[in-house]
Amino acid sequence: MAIHGSIEGGGTKFVCAIGSSPDDLQAVATIPTTTPEETLSRAISFLSRHGPLDAIGVAMFGPLDLDRSSATYGSVRATPKPGWSGAEIVAPFQEAFGLPIGFDTDVNGAALGEGRWGAGRGLGTFLYVTVGTGIGGGGVIDGRPMHGLIHPEIGHLRIPRHPEDPFPGRCSFHGDCLEGLAAGPALAERWGRPVEDLGEDLDQAVAFEAHALGYAMANLVLTVSPERIILGGGVMHIPGLLDATRRQMVESLGGYVDAPALGDGAAGFLVAPELGDRSGIAGGLVLAERASSGLNR
Ligand code: ZN
């Protein structure tokens, strides 16, 4: 069986693994995200201690240049993350290994991983959205990861504010976009304390959060027409939030989209990830496999 290298490049850590499936990893390492030079050289050093590898997949925080015809393909685009704007990601791996390198966003990677081994199995068109310190989303359309102009930026969807919530949002670009209203840091700022300490405000917090997320999910149903949406990330562990988000999504759609999958309160449509925190590293394996088969888009 072909052995791949997989990198899940996050804003705080890079997870690196070797294997052919998330249940069959031969080695895993976690490297703190510091400068691009230091972080990538440690990742390359880890991969080079194992092998032989047949391909490497990198699922990386963005925004990224994914345009194969671009002179800066394989690099990070302008990002608020200090030191990472313009950082080349694919080139150092290519120079070190001379192997096919798959490259995509962390969320497209997670979608591919869930599609192969998790909650997206057997589906051609589905989305993966994660709600944590930020909100990101990607997906697969007819079996291929979503690209286009750059790549989806689902976290910055514009949605109506809850009429009873005065919180202005905290996105530095948009204020009250989805991420500005509903990511973990927005919740913390909105309520001035951690979710665990919300006490009697928990129901209200879940209602505001589900309002934002439910409208966003409804808009994704209307624009992308996915067969399923996988909704994960640390914030989704708040008790009752996934159910409340389903209800808000169905209510926002107003009965207009007539699809059996949306029946039963959309319980089988808007679902939690099945791979937990392994969907990203699983995605890196799929990206490697796609690259070794010549599928770079
Ligand atoms: Zn925004």
Side-chain angles (χ1 to χ4, degrees), residues 137-209:
V140 170
I141 303 282
D142 289 337
R144 288 158 42 123
M146 288 172 82
H147 295 135
L149 177 67
I150 45 168
H151 45 69
E153 288 287 3
I154 288 167
H156 297 268
L157 279 171
R158 312 309 301 266
I159 47 166
R161 298 253 302 272
H162 192 291
E164 292 162 27
D165 186 1
F167 181 60
R170 67 186 305 284
C171 174
S172 57
F173 293 88
H174 315 114
D176 61 358
C177 68
L178 179 63
E179 181 173 292
L181 288 173
L187 269 178
E189 188 176 313
R190 166 68 180 80
W191 296 96
R193 57 201 195 277
V195 167
E196 306 82 71
D197 299 337
L198 282 178
E200 61 186 18
D201 286 331
L202 180 63
D203 287 350
Q204 187 71 84
V206 166
F208 289 170
E209 183 74 9

Side-chain angles (χ1 to χ4, degrees), residues 6-196:
S6 172
I7 307 280
E8 180 186 13
T12 57
K13 63 179 196 279
F14 270 50
V15 182
C16 313
I18 309 283
S20 52
S21 90
D23 296 319
D24 173 34
L25 297 178
Q26 298 173 8
V28 181
T30 300
I31 295 166
T33 305
T34 56
T35 62
E37 296 74 19
E38 180 180 41
T39 312
L40 296 176
S41 89
R42 290 186 65 184
I44 287 166
S45 158
F46 166 79
L47 293 181
S48 62
R49 291 197 297 274
H50 301 274
L53 305 174
D54 77 327
I56 295 167
V58 183
M60 175 79 196
F61 74 84
L64 303 176
D65 188 340
L66 298 173
D67 178 358
R68 307 276 310 178
S69 65
S70 159
T72 54
Y73 167 78
S75 65
V76 181
R77 298 164 65 101
T79 171
K81 176 101 182 139
W84 285 81
S85 290
E88 290 198 335
I89 307 298
V90 169
F93 287 98
Q94 230 152 23
E95 281 158 24
F97 296 98
L99 292 172
I101 312 289
F103 181 59
D104 214 319
T105 60
D106 46 3
V107 279
N108 269 354
L112 288 169
E114 288 286 336
R116 171 64 63 82
W117 293 288
R121 279 195 307 275
L123 301 179
T125 297
F126 61 95
L127 298 174
Y128 172 93
V129 179
T130 179
V131 187
T133 52
I135 297 182
V140 170
I141 303 282
D142 289 337
R144 288 158 42 123
M146 288 172 82
H147 295 135
L149 177 67
I150 45 168
H151 45 69
E153 288 287 3
I154 288 167
H156 297 268
L157 279 171
R158 312 309 301 266
I159 47 166
R161 298 253 302 272
H162 192 291
E164 292 162 27
D165 186 1
F167 181 60
R170 67 186 305 284
C171 174
S172 57
F173 293 88
H174 315 114
D176 61 358
C177 68
L178 179 63
E179 181 173 292
L181 288 173
L187 269 178
E189 188 176 313
R190 166 68 180 80
W191 296 96
R193 57 201 195 277
V195 167
E196 306 82 71

